Amino acid sequence: MDSVPALDEPLKKVLGPATAKVMAEHLGLHTVGDLLHHYPRRYEERGQLTHLADLPMDEHVTVVAQVADARLHTFASSRAPRGKGQRLEVTITDGSGRLTLVFFGAGVHKPHKELLPGTRAMFAGKVSVFNRRLQLAHPAYELLRGDAEETVETWAGALIPIYPATAKLESWKIGKALQTVLPSAQEAADPLPEALREGRGLVTLPEALLKIHRPHTKADIEEARARLKWDEAFVLQVALARRRYADAQAPAVPRRPKPDGILAAFDDRLPFTLTEGQRKVSEEIFADLATDHPMHRLLQGEVGSGKTMVALRAMLAVVDAGGQAAMLAPTEVLAQQHHRSITEMMGELAEGGMLGGAESATKVVLLTGSMGAAARRHALLDLATGEAGIVIGTHALIEDKVQFHDLGLVVVDEQHRFGVEQRDALRGKGKQPPHLLVMTATPIPRTVAMTVFGDLETSVLDQLPAGRSPIASHVVPAADKPHFLARAWERVREEVEKGHQAYVVCPRIGDEEDGAKAKKKSAEDEAEKRPPLAVLDTAEQLARGPLAGLRVEVLHGRMQPDDKDAVMRRFATGEADVLVATTVIEVGVNVPNATVMVIMDADRFGVSQLHQLRGRVGRGSAPGLCLLVSEMPEASAARQRLNAVASTLDGFELSRIDLEQRREGDVLGQAQSGTRSSLRMLAVIDDEEVIAEAREEATRVVAADPDLERLPALRTALDALLDEEREQYLEKG
């Protein structure tokens, strides 16, 4: 009798089509194996209650609590004009706080009979706010009395697993589905090499799966988690180790600068000396460029630490050695900004083939999607003939039409905006694999760098160039203290009177299309949040009100490229006092005379984004000021996040805070483009040791058996982690 479903069995055969459809669409679970790896988020003990006090807004939650009281109200409404409308309000408590549940209309009858004071149950729903109180409207619930036989059976264990759930499928239904497939855990093939597993005292995979879904003790949960964390860390590190191994086998043209070439000429004309950090990182890069396999380096640098200078010197070294260098930027504004600042820094060295160009000069061309046909043709020709040593562009660089004479180095700016595939598409344009330098101004904790960018060596620039000014940051609580906001605009006027300039950043553009979307969203939004402030409205209000008489300009992503460029030029040359913009100014924009930045609805931005934005001021000799305006209440998580940003300028510290507050899967899911599953068990900040050890073990395993021929179960786990397309990229290196 073989009634145990195989791990690759589709869920619809085991659970029926309706449940399987919801699991596939809302949780990304398709097979028995997928469901077994859908781990509980946490566990409730029967004798213990959850914390209602710290429920997150707008999230789908599951709580175990006790009914304190239940009241049925009648009211008149358009549907029930004679006062026949019914509303049931149930208050539940868990010792840490209280929460209101609301049921309306015909939906009140069942809970009115069942949710009597003293009853304990699991409740699931979306947390919203009504009359300044948290509530769940029409939550699903499961009584925990143990009356029904099925309930007794399902919740027999003392520990109740709470699963990541959705509005369409509550945690306890997922729990019941898991009980159905749990016998299949015995079939799970173990990806960890036996020696490694035994050497570290880890339980087998089938045992870990049983203990994570049906633990009898807390020790069971700990054992299972320790094992499953190792699986995730190890399989991911093996994927990265194989990529590093393949890269190390690939041939590349060594690129060494000439002693009297363009790099030497550039260094001679620099009006300042490089920082110690810039020199050290440059040496690491030049050593990599001189080898005969491709460099793969991640350059992390604090906002304003001079990464562009380091990247430019690397590009010039490659031009010296007869190759070409391409810099990939995420937006047109940034590509244009880089092009402008690089040609300014190079002066006559960027005028190759022109009258007045220096002897060792080269051409620096710009290539973006919105260029006119003639300019584009010209740029493409310069690349194909090798006339242009340096090209700076957006995604347009990746297109098929773009041909290089001899691509020697690819520099990717703001790596988190590009997937691995885009990186590889550009690298595929070299006759042999070009060297790769990836830059990010979002500081990344060491473990994340090991996990997300594990195929790259890392260099860190943590020293600011001399002459950079400190930036003071303050939170402006606009709702609690409106006079603080009035003072913020006075500060902007004061800075402009001193001859400086200011940025005002808003989350939204605010033209019709945008407005319609926002209206639709806010009507549906149960918390009835107002739409985020918009650039166009804010600019108009400021120009008419607190900043009347100042030259206010706007900049956003939907403007024509030429218009954007013209606005940036006017701001850079001081012809505009205040630039009201979206986050298009987040990276790379360099106007040393801008000293103050006001970020409206700052709570709508992420921590690293706020840090990036703030880095646009204080770039000259005058001190910078960043004001974070928010209407969120003092006690909210959003305000705590803003206080954290205001309290430190250390990007590495902020990136830790950011990671602790966000779900890590989001971080890894975006950057590890192509991996089907984000990390479920591994916490990149807390599990630093596991990740570092897994990296060492993975490197050892891959060096001994690059194709994993002796480890078929590990191969299978790797195939499940990587989709086919991504696997090709890993093999292609």
Side-chain angles (χ1 to χ4, degrees):
M1 161 190 137
D2 181 21
S3 59
V4 175
L7 294 186
D8 53 6
E9 184 95 11
L11 285 173
K12 73 167 170 250
K13 280 194 181 171
V14 186
L15 304 175
T19 306
K21 185 169 187 249
V22 177
M23 285 195 170
E25 286 176 6
H26 295 274
L27 297 168
L29 308 175
H30 303 276
T31 64
V32 168
D34 291 346
L35 181 54
L36 284 172
H37 287 290
H38 187 71
Y39 308 132
R41 181 171 281 165
R42 55 190 169 82
Y43 300 84
E44 291 297 353
E45 292 178 72
R46 285 195 178 280
Q48 212 186 35
L49 295 161
T50 58
H51 285 286
L52 293 181
D54 38 6
L55 286 179
M57 268 296 299
D58 276 347
E59 278 199 26
H60 201 83
V61 297
T62 302
V63 295
V64 173
Q66 191 161 341
V67 177
D69 69 59
R71 293 179 189 186
L72 192 62
H73 304 273
T74 53
F75 61 91
S77 72
S78 55
R79 285 188 185 169
R82 297 206 184 106
K84 294 277 176 67
Q86 290 192 310
R87 182 175 82 245
L88 175 66
E89 282 187 16
V90 178
T91 305
I92 59 173
T93 176
D94 67 350
S96 78
R98 295 166 87 81
L99 181 66
T100 308
L101 316 177
V102 194
F103 302 87
F104 293 101
V108 305
H109 305 308
K110 187 166 175 273
H112 190 220
K113 280 207 300 263
E114 294 182 335
L115 297 179
L116 305 171
T119 306
R120 296 198 57 232
M122 297 170 83
F123 302 92
K126 192 174 179 186
V127 184
S128 58
V129 169
F130 183 74
N131 280 345
R132 294 194 150 235
R133 281 189 319 181
L134 292 182
Q135 68 166 29
L136 296 182
H138 282 282
Y141 62 88
E142 174 94 343
L143 300 179
L144 289 179
R145 276 190 162 158
D147 306 340
E149 218 164 292
E150 184 187 22
T151 313
V152 175
E153 179 55 41
T154 312
W155 311 114
L159 294 159
I160 302 168
I162 305 290
Y163 290 93
T166 83
K168 295 268 194 306
L169 198 65
E170 295 87 23
S171 168
W172 53 87
K173 289 185 181 162
I174 297 171
K176 286 175 183 171
L178 264 150
Q179 299 303 330
T180 309
V181 302
L182 207 49
S184 305
Q186 297 301 342
E187 308 296 309
D190 204 322
L192 289 191
E194 203 167 331
L196 188 160
R197 185 178 65 70
E198 287 174 355
R200 295 187 174 273
L202 298 167
V203 299
T204 64
L205 182 56
E207 194 182 334
L209 290 170
L210 283 171
K211 285 182 168 174
I212 201 80
H213 293 298
R214 200 186 272 171
H216 294 297
T217 62
K218 287 185 177 171
D220 283 354
I221 299 170
E222 286 315 303
E223 277 188 6
R225 280 189 168 150
R227 163 62 216 246
L228 295 167
K229 279 179 179 182
W230 252 95
D231 274 20
E232 284 184 4
F234 181 69
V235 174
L236 185 55
Q237 290 300 337
V238 166
L240 295 165
R242 291 188 72 206
R243 185 174 169 111
R244 286 197 303 275
Y245 181 86
D247 285 337
Q249 311 308 308
V253 180
R255 310 280 180 175
R256 295 184 185 85
K258 295 196 289 252
D260 55 351
I262 189 169
L263 176 62
F266 176 75
D267 284 349
D268 287 346
R269 50 170 293 145
L270 276 181
F272 52 82
T273 53
L274 297 173
T275 64
E276 186 53 44
Q278 285 173 320
R279 272 205 297 280
K280 183 174 128 301
V281 171
S282 289
E283 277 161 23
E284 290 172 350
I285 291 171
F286 291 154
D288 282 358
L289 289 174
T291 61
D292 53 11
H293 60 83
M295 162 171 85
H296 288 100
R297 194 165 279 282
L298 170 69
L299 172 55
Q300 294 194 59
E302 270 291 12
V303 180
S305 58
K307 289 183 304 299
T308 311
M309 173 59 71
V310 170
L312 176 54
R313 293 184 72 240
M315 293 197 284
L316 294 174
V318 169
V319 172
D320 253 353
Q324 291 169 291
M327 184 184 233
L328 184 59
T331 64
E332 294 210 347
V333 168
L334 187 52
Q336 286 162 341
Q337 176 82 24
H338 275 322
H339 182 253
R340 201 162 35 240
S341 64
I342 283 175
T343 44
E344 277 167 18
M345 282 196 272
M346 286 174 63
E348 76 244 22
L349 294 173
E351 294 170 1
M354 298 182 211
L355 218 56
E359 191 185 335
S360 50
T362 186
K363 242 189 201 177
V364 180
V365 300
L366 177 68
L367 188 64
T368 63
S370 60
M371 279 167 76
R376 190 181 171 75
R377 236 187 350 264
H378 218 85
L380 290 173
L381 189 64
D382 284 343
L383 288 182
T385 59
E387 188 87 5
I390 295 178
V391 57
I392 295 151
T394 53
H395 291 78
L397 282 176
I398 299 171
E399 289 170 13
D400 293 344
K401 287 194 207 74
V402 181
Q403 300 293 326
F404 288 86
H405 177 63
D406 178 12
L407 181 59
L409 170 67
V410 172
V411 179
V412 181
D413 193 19
E414 287 312 311
Q415 161 62 29
H416 62 283
R417 311 284 189 91
F418 295 102
V420 175
E421 287 87 344
Q422 290 160 314
R423 210 160 90 181
D424 283 339
L426 185 50
R427 285 164 62 195
K429 292 187 177 293
K431 294 189 178 75
Q432 280 193 323
H435 299 281
L436 173 72
L437 179 65
V438 165
M439 302 199 296
T440 176
T442 309
I444 305 165
R446 174 174 160 261
T447 40
V448 183
M450 266 196 264
T451 311
V452 179
F453 301 115
D455 56 331
L456 305 170
E457 298 299 324
T458 305
S459 295
V460 178
L461 267 181
D462 47 11
Q463 207 182 351
L464 291 188
R468 273 296 162 87
S469 307
I471 305 170
S473 306
H474 303 285
V475 178
V476 177
D480 314 347
K481 300 179 177 165
H483 59 288
F484 276 35
L485 184 57
R487 176 72 190 118
W489 302 126
E490 282 171 22
R491 283 292 290 115
V492 170
R493 290 196 87 96
E494 286 163 16
E495 286 299 308
V496 172
E497 276 158 24
K498 288 183 201 160
H500 297 306
Q501 291 160 282
Y503 296 103
V504 177
V505 180
C506 302
R508 203 163 57 88
I509 297 172
D511 46 20
E512 280 55 50
E513 185 187 330
D514 226 56
K517 264 194 227 150
K519 272 197 200 81
K520 183 171 167 232
K521 184 172 171 211
S522 71
E524 288 168 3
D525 197 338
E526 291 146 59
E528 291 187 342
K529 289 190 224 141
R530 63 164 174 73
L533 290 172
V535 166
L536 302 176
D537 309 339
T538 304
E540 198 180 316
Q541 286 159 10
L542 291 176
R544 282 209 312 260
L547 302 185
L550 301 187
R551 297 168 299 175
V552 177
E553 296 243 14
V554 299
L555 180 71
H556 59 74
R558 277 214 285 275
M559 287 165 64
Q560 288 302 316
D562 291 352
D563 298 342
K564 276 193 268 196
D565 205 32
V567 170
M568 269 319 300
R569 274 177 200 281
R570 283 200 293 278
F571 191 65
T573 54
E575 294 166 55
D577 300 317
V578 179
L579 186 61
V580 183
T582 55
T583 54
V584 290
I585 61 153
E586 181 186 345
V587 281
V589 172
N590 185 23
V591 180
N593 191 41
T595 53
V596 58
M597 174 177 284
V598 182
I599 303 178
M600 307 303 290
D601 280 344
D603 47 273
R604 311 271 178 145
F605 299 98
V607 170
S608 61
Q609 209 173 20
L610 290 169
H611 182 58
Q612 286 275 12
L613 285 165
R614 167 171 66 184
R616 300 305 110 214
V617 294
R619 300 179 80 85
S621 52
L625 172 66
C626 178
L627 302 173
L628 306 165
V629 180
S630 172
E631 292 184 357
M632 294 304 271
E634 182 78 50
S636 63
R639 268 288 282 284
Q640 286 162 13
R641 207 169 63 229
L642 296 181
N643 292 339
V645 174
S647 68
T648 178
L649 289 172
D650 180 341
F652 285 93
E653 176 56 28
L654 286 174
S655 69
R656 281 189 86 93
I657 293 169
D658 193 17
L659 258 183
E660 281 159 7
Q661 290 187 343
R662 282 160 51 187
R663 284 202 208 73
E664 268 133 353
D666 304 345
V667 181
L668 299 174
Q670 277 174 344
Q672 269 309 105
S673 120
T675 53
R676 268 202 212 124
S677 56
S678 295
L679 298 188
R680 296 181 171 126
M681 193 53 80
L682 202 63
V684 267
I685 290 288
D686 304 335
D687 298 319
E688 187 157 345
E689 222 168 280
V690 176
I691 292 169
E693 288 174 16
R695 182 178 165 112
E696 278 172 33
E697 293 277 11
T699 307
R700 246 199 309 279
V701 165
V702 170
D705 181 6
D707 293 327
L708 308 179
E709 282 166 3
R710 298 191 292 281
L711 299 165
L714 177 55
R715 263 244 63 130
T716 309
L718 207 55
D719 292 342
L721 178 75
L722 309 167
D723 54 23
E724 263 171 62
E725 196 180 357
R726 175 126 163 77
E727 180 69 2
Q728 282 165 14
Y729 281 114
L730 284 171
E731 283 170 356
K732 186 174 80 184

